Amino acid sequence: MRRYLRVVVLCLACGFCSLLYAFSQLAVSLEEGAGGVGGKPQAAAASWLGGDGRGAGRGVGSAGPAAHHGRSDRCKEFSLCYWNPYWMLPSDVCGMNCFWEAAFRYGVKMQPTERVHLAVVACGERLEETVTMLKSALIFSIKPLQFHIFAEDQLHDSFKGILDSWSFLQTFTYSLYPITFPSENAAEWKKLFKPCASQRLFLPLILKEVDSLLYVDTDILFLRPVDDIWSLLKKFNSTQIAAMAPEHEEPRIGWYNRFARHPYYGKTGVNSGVMLMNMTRMRRKYFKNDMTTVRLRWGDILMPLLKKYKLNITWGDQDLLNIIFFHNPESLFVFPCQWNYRPDHCIYGSNCQEAEEEGIFILHGNRGVYHDDKQPAFRAIYEALRNCSFEDDNIHSLLKPLELELQKTVHTYCGKIYKIFIKQLTKSIQDRYDRPPKER
């Protein structure tokens, strides 16, 4: 009895498969018949497909138009799978076996890994600083990084040699660019404040294919993953296009509110050493200004601003940014001082409360403090990261000697609070050590 039952089940299965095959052949023949009766060419995929033309659930190696040579004049780039019977598919859908495709209808769509875009401008004797900054970004970051390095021509070979020697990391790519300013005013822009510093103003116009970007000065050190400041982009509201930290926390020692001869953002201005940008929004926005009643786009506002205020500005491009956001305050997201911690936050006593509570996230060694003895706490962090390598043991073992070095700095105001310099750094190193080896 069991033997007969098995034979019946086997016959039913064969019959079912035969029906499927018959329907498949019928659909193919209908397709070929419709193809000879002037079917409309369809190059684009259906509207619900992603912008790159790939349908959900299709993996690498999916057949494209070239694979359907005989009927490519009317097939979509990928065949679609409908839940109505296969022989009733619309005439512009390729006749692949939709029964099997249906199994993958709700498959996981593979999204490309997001890259964090990081830009820096290096001129003069800034090679070592820049390389140390890039190293600090690579040590802690999780997502792949894309470096955009704007440098004088004589520095390109040095950058290339160093970065190519790091290729074993496989966690970053880089592009080198020459210093580029508008030709009619290049000399004026280049000498504004520091050599090449104003290059950052033109990044939205040069990197036209980049949606968002984190710009940092060469004297920046990341003490936690770049991913974390990058995530602040998600906190922008619909009007915000950029993010910076205040220039000062304490108005009594502020520069802009005491000495500036031009408009500036907020109570104490903003510092542009760490600047997170949604450049797509920057390129689209029309900015209010005090030069004309007409709102101007980013590429049109910079030169008129410089002409009007060049005799009144001290800090170059940073002053121009302050003027722009004074007139467009709704466009700026302000992040706390721990994301751009400078000597001003401790040389007269600690005035960055967020850093006291959570530690320093990004260290900004302006005033040349990495290279002199005025603020040895800053210099100790810089030298520790400059001298470390990418090996796990080396990174994990830098904390103890660094803390001993910082303890020697307690004669300075910044040194007295040295623990905030290593609080976040310690956590970042431990988090890195806890990640699987392939993610380090």
Side-chain angles (χ1 to χ4, degrees):
M1 185 66 182
R2 289 182 180 177
R3 185 179 301 172
Y4 291 128
L5 186 60
R6 288 175 184 170
V7 170
V8 171
V9 171
L10 182 60
C11 290
L12 287 173
C14 291
F16 182 65
C17 292
S18 298
L19 283 172
L20 287 177
Y21 177 76
F23 289 145
S24 297
Q25 294 302 310
L26 176 61
V28 171
S29 64
L30 287 173
E31 274 191 348
E32 291 172 348
V37 194
K40 265 189 174 180
Q42 294 270 352
S47 60
W48 57 268
L49 287 174
D52 60 356
R54 288 181 169 85
R58 302 305 295 251
V60 177
S62 298
H68 304 285
H69 213 47
R71 49 185 193 258
S72 63
D73 59 332
R74 71 172 190 79
C75 284
K76 295 180 184 288
E77 184 177 355
F78 290 102
S79 69
L80 305 182
C81 186
Y82 289 82
W83 287 109
N84 56 313
Y86 182 59
W87 59 90
M88 294 175 62
L89 283 174
S91 62
D92 62 348
V93 176
C94 301
M96 295 177 68
N97 194 328
C98 222
F99 175 78
W100 297 114
E101 286 190 320
F104 302 101
R105 179 68 182 271
Y106 292 106
V108 177
K109 183 175 180 179
M110 300 302 292
Q111 294 288 351
T113 304
E114 181 188 13
R115 285 188 175 272
V116 175
H117 290 263
L118 178 64
V120 65
V121 179
C123 288
E125 303 298 321
R126 297 286 183 166
L127 176 66
E128 181 190 276
E129 268 190 5
T130 307
V131 168
T132 305
M133 179 276 292
L134 297 175
K135 182 192 292 186
S136 72
L138 287 169
I139 286 174
F140 301 120
S141 292
I142 301 167
K143 293 178 181 176
L145 301 177
Q146 168 66 47
F147 296 143
H148 301 273
I149 303 168
F150 291 79
E152 291 178 311
D153 293 342
Q154 63 268 27
L155 296 178
H156 280 216
D157 287 343
S158 297
F159 273 117
K160 190 175 186 305
I162 294 169
L163 294 174
D164 286 350
S165 72
W166 295 351
S167 60
F168 67 92
L169 295 172
Q170 297 184 338
T171 55
F172 75 98
T173 54
Y174 71 95
S175 300
L176 284 167
Y177 308 85
I179 300 298
T180 307
F181 295 111
S183 55
E184 63 272 19
N185 305 104
E188 194 167 4
W189 282 114
K190 188 168 184 178
K191 68 183 181 182
L192 186 66
F193 184 42
K194 292 180 180 178
C196 311
S198 58
Q199 178 74 79
R200 83 186 94 184
L201 295 176
F202 300 95
L203 297 181
L205 308 177
I206 297 171
L207 302 175
K208 294 180 180 179
E209 303 304 315
V210 178
D211 174 66
S212 297
L213 183 77
L214 175 63
Y215 166 85
V216 296
D217 286 348
T218 60
D219 51 9
I220 290 295
L221 293 173
F222 292 95
L223 304 186
R224 69 180 293 165
V226 182
D227 312 57
D228 295 333
I229 188 169
W230 188 257
S231 68
L232 297 181
L233 286 166
K234 296 177 182 177
K235 295 188 177 183
F236 283 18
N237 64 29
S238 60
T239 67
Q240 290 166 336
I241 64 171
M244 288 181 275
E247 174 68 16
H248 289 282
E249 301 301 308
E250 175 51 67
R252 288 176 297 177
I253 61 172
W255 193 92
Y256 282 110
N257 56 294
R258 293 189 297 157
F259 305 118
R261 295 178 294 157
H262 58 79
Y264 56 89
Y265 178 88
K267 293 182 179 179
T268 60
V270 286
N271 183 280
S272 60
V274 179
M275 185 175 178
L276 185 63
M277 296 176 275
N278 183 320
M279 298 202 299
T280 299
R281 292 185 181 182
M282 292 177 76
R283 288 185 285 262
R284 290 175 179 169
K285 183 175 175 62
Y286 287 83
F287 293 86
K288 300 187 291 287
N289 60 87
D290 59 0
M291 300 169 291
T292 173
T293 56
V294 178
R295 297 190 179 199
L296 299 174
R297 299 182 80 168
W298 190 261
D300 301 322
I301 199 173
L302 298 175
M303 196 61 219
L305 266 185
L306 180 60
K307 287 182 177 179
K308 178 172 181 177
Y309 286 106
K310 65 181 178 181
L311 298 179
N312 298 89
I313 59 178
T314 303
W315 308 112
D317 55 309
Q318 178 173 291
D319 291 346
L320 296 182
L321 289 168
N322 267 278
I323 296 168
I324 289 173
F325 289 110
F326 169 83
H327 293 291
N328 302 270
E330 75 286 351
S331 298
L332 188 66
F333 179 95
V334 179
F335 49 66
C337 50
Q338 63 195 146
W339 293 103
N340 186 353
Y341 191 91
R342 285 159 280 124
D344 291 320
H345 291 119
C346 58
I347 56 176
Y348 306 114
S350 180
N351 59 61
C352 179
Q353 184 177 347
E354 291 84 357
E356 293 175 14
E357 295 172 355
E358 300 179 281
I360 299 167
F361 295 168
I362 295 178
L363 194 69
H364 186 177
N366 64 342
R367 300 174 180 261
V369 293
Y370 294 151
H371 311 292
D372 60 32
D373 297 321
K374 293 179 181 179
Q375 298 302 328
F378 283 78
R379 183 169 182 170
I381 299 288
Y382 174 77
E383 291 182 347
L385 289 172
R386 181 194 65 190
N387 296 332
C388 83
S389 63
F390 290 106
E391 283 76 20
D392 290 333
D393 292 340
N394 185 280
I395 295 169
H396 201 257
S397 63
L398 71 80
L399 283 173
K400 192 63 177 178
L402 174 58
E403 185 170 5
L404 292 174
E405 198 65 31
L406 286 169
Q407 289 172 358
K408 301 176 184 178
T409 70
V410 293
H411 61 283
T412 66
Y413 279 114
C414 294
K416 287 178 181 178
I417 54 171
Y418 74 86
K419 290 188 177 180
I420 72 169
F421 284 77
I422 55 173
K423 186 173 186 178
Q424 179 58 49
L425 181 61
T426 302
K427 183 178 184 303
S428 296
I429 291 175
Q430 188 59 50
D431 288 347
R432 183 185 191 276
Y433 195 73
D434 291 341
R435 296 201 299 262
K438 289 185 178 180
E439 296 179 17
R440 292 175 188 170

